[in-house]
PDB file of all heavy atoms in Angstrom:
ATOM      1  N   GLN A1152     102.539  44.224   7.081  1.00 97.00           N
ATOM      2  CA  GLN A1152     101.427  44.606   7.939  1.00 97.00           C
ATOM      3  C   GLN A1152     100.672  43.347   8.362  1.00 97.00           C
ATOM      4  O   GLN A1152     100.264  42.549   7.511  1.00 97.00           O
ATOM      5  CB  GLN A1152     100.488  45.563   7.218  1.00 97.00           C
ATOM      6  CG  GLN A1152     101.128  46.897   6.873  1.00 97.00           C
ATOM      7  CD  GLN A1152     100.189  47.828   6.129  1.00 97.00           C
ATOM      8  OE1 GLN A1152      99.181  47.407   5.564  1.00 97.00           O
ATOM      9  NE2 GLN A1152     100.524  49.104   6.107  1.00 97.00           N
ATOM     10  N   ILE A1153     100.488  43.190   9.665  1.00 96.00           N
ATOM     11  CA  ILE A1153      99.847  42.004  10.224  1.00 96.00           C
ATOM     12  C   ILE A1153      98.606  42.451  10.977  1.00 96.00           C
ATOM     13  O   ILE A1153      98.712  43.076  12.037  1.00 96.00           O
ATOM     14  CB  ILE A1153     100.809  41.250  11.157  1.00 96.00           C
ATOM     15  CG1 ILE A1153     102.113  40.906  10.411  1.00 96.00           C
ATOM     16  CG2 ILE A1153     100.148  39.987  11.711  1.00 96.00           C
ATOM     17  CD1 ILE A1153     103.221  40.424  11.316  1.00 96.00           C
ATOM     18  N   GLY A1154      97.449  42.164  10.395  1.00 93.00           N
ATOM     19  CA  GLY A1154      96.226  42.673  10.986  1.00 93.00           C
ATOM     20  C   GLY A1154      96.146  44.175  10.816  1.00 93.00           C
ATOM     21  O   GLY A1154      96.698  44.759   9.877  1.00 93.00           O
ATOM     22  N   THR A1155      95.471  44.845  11.750  1.00 90.00           N
ATOM     23  CA  THR A1155      95.277  46.288  11.629  1.00 90.00           C
ATOM     24  C   THR A1155      96.278  47.100  12.433  1.00 90.00           C
ATOM     25  O   THR A1155      96.470  48.288  12.154  1.00 90.00           O
ATOM     26  CB  THR A1155      93.860  46.659  12.097  1.00 90.00           C
ATOM     27  OG1 THR A1155      93.694  46.219  13.450  1.00 90.00           O
ATOM     28  CG2 THR A1155      92.799  46.005  11.216  1.00 90.00           C
ATOM     29  N   GLY A1156      96.920  46.471  13.414  1.00 94.00           N
ATOM     30  CA  GLY A1156      97.756  47.273  14.289  1.00 94.00           C
ATOM     31  C   GLY A1156      99.121  46.707  14.589  1.00 94.00           C
ATOM     32  O   GLY A1156      99.785  47.135  15.540  1.00 94.00           O
ATOM     33  N   CYS A1157      99.589  45.750  13.791  1.00 97.00           N
ATOM     34  CA  CYS A1157     100.918  45.170  13.989  1.00 97.00           C
ATOM     35  C   CYS A1157     101.705  45.290  12.696  1.00 97.00           C
ATOM     36  O   CYS A1157     101.172  45.045  11.604  1.00 97.00           O
ATOM     37  CB  CYS A1157     100.810  43.705  14.410  1.00 97.00           C
ATOM     38  SG  CYS A1157     102.407  42.859  14.598  1.00 97.00           S
ATOM     39  N   SER A1158     102.963  45.656  12.808  1.00 97.00           N
ATOM     40  CA  SER A1158     103.798  45.771  11.613  1.00 97.00           C
ATOM     41  C   SER A1158     105.213  45.318  11.908  1.00 97.00           C
ATOM     42  O   SER A1158     105.721  45.466  13.022  1.00 97.00           O
ATOM     43  CB  SER A1158     103.825  47.215  11.105  1.00 97.00           C
ATOM     44  OG  SER A1158     104.438  48.066  12.064  1.00 97.00           O
ATOM     45  N   LEU A1159     105.833  44.751  10.888  1.00 97.00           N
ATOM     46  CA  LEU A1159     107.249  44.408  10.905  1.00 97.00           C
ATOM     47  C   LEU A1159     107.897  45.213   9.790  1.00 97.00           C
ATOM     48  O   LEU A1159     107.541  45.046   8.616  1.00 97.00           O
ATOM     49  CB  LEU A1159     107.455  42.913  10.669  1.00 97.00           C
ATOM     50  CG  LEU A1159     108.916  42.465  10.606  1.00 97.00           C
ATOM     51  CD1 LEU A1159     109.535  42.458  12.004  1.00 97.00           C
ATOM     52  CD2 LEU A1159     109.036  41.079   9.969  1.00 97.00           C
ATOM     53  N   SER A1160     108.830  46.079  10.137  1.00 96.00           N
ATOM     54  CA  SER A1160     109.428  46.943   9.127  1.00 96.00           C
ATOM     55  C   SER A1160     110.944  46.881   9.210  1.00 96.00           C
ATOM     56  O   SER A1160     111.524  46.481  10.218  1.00 96.00           O
ATOM     57  CB  SER A1160     108.960  48.391   9.316  1.00 96.00           C
ATOM     58  OG  SER A1160     109.329  48.881  10.597  1.00 96.00           O
ATOM     59  N   TYR A1161     111.560  47.296   8.109  1.00 95.00           N
ATOM     60  CA  TYR A1161     113.017  47.365   8.057  1.00 95.00           C
ATOM     61  C   TYR A1161     113.415  48.648   7.365  1.00 95.00           C
ATOM     62  O   TYR A1161     113.002  48.925   6.232  1.00 95.00           O
ATOM     63  CB  TYR A1161     113.595  46.169   7.307  1.00 95.00           C
ATOM     64  CG  TYR A1161     115.112  46.222   7.207  1.00 95.00           C
ATOM     65  CD1 TYR A1161     115.899  45.980   8.332  1.00 95.00           C
ATOM     66  CD2 TYR A1161     115.753  46.544   6.021  1.00 95.00           C
ATOM     67  CE1 TYR A1161     117.279  46.042   8.263  1.00 95.00           C
ATOM     68  CE2 TYR A1161     117.134  46.602   5.937  1.00 95.00           C
ATOM     69  CZ  TYR A1161     117.889  46.354   7.068  1.00 95.00           C
ATOM     70  OH  TYR A1161     119.272  46.431   7.006  1.00 95.00           O
ATOM     71  N   GLU A1162     114.207  49.440   8.046  1.00 90.00           N
ATOM     72  CA  GLU A1162     114.650  50.708   7.487  1.00 90.00           C
ATOM     73  C   GLU A1162     115.898  51.171   8.234  1.00 90.00           C
ATOM     74  O   GLU A1162     115.981  51.050   9.461  1.00 90.00           O
ATOM     75  CB  GLU A1162     113.546  51.766   7.602  1.00 90.00           C
ATOM     76  CG  GLU A1162     113.850  53.058   6.868  1.00 90.00           C
ATOM     77  CD  GLU A1162     112.669  54.017   6.853  1.00 90.00           C
ATOM     78  OE1 GLU A1162     111.692  53.772   7.588  1.00 90.00           O
ATOM     79  OE2 GLU A1162     112.730  55.006   6.098  1.00 90.00           O
ATOM     80  N   LYS A1163     116.868  51.648   7.511  1.00 87.00           N
ATOM     81  CA  LYS A1163     118.097  52.203   8.069  1.00 87.00           C
ATOM     82  C   LYS A1163     118.782  51.243   9.032  1.00 87.00           C
ATOM     83  O   LYS A1163     119.256  51.624  10.107  1.00 87.00           O
ATOM     84  CB  LYS A1163     117.799  53.544   8.752  1.00 87.00           C
ATOM     85  CG  LYS A1163     117.293  54.613   7.796  1.00 87.00           C
ATOM     86  CD  LYS A1163     117.021  55.923   8.522  1.00 87.00           C
ATOM     87  CE  LYS A1163     116.525  56.972   7.554  1.00 87.00           C
ATOM     88  NZ  LYS A1163     116.228  58.267   8.237  1.00 87.00           N
TER      89      LYS A1163
END
Side-chain angles (χ1 to χ4, degrees):
Q1152 295 179 342
I1153 305 168
T1155 58
C1157 177
S1158 64
L1159 177 74
S1160 60
Y1161 179 73
E1162 188 173 11
K1163 297 180 180 179

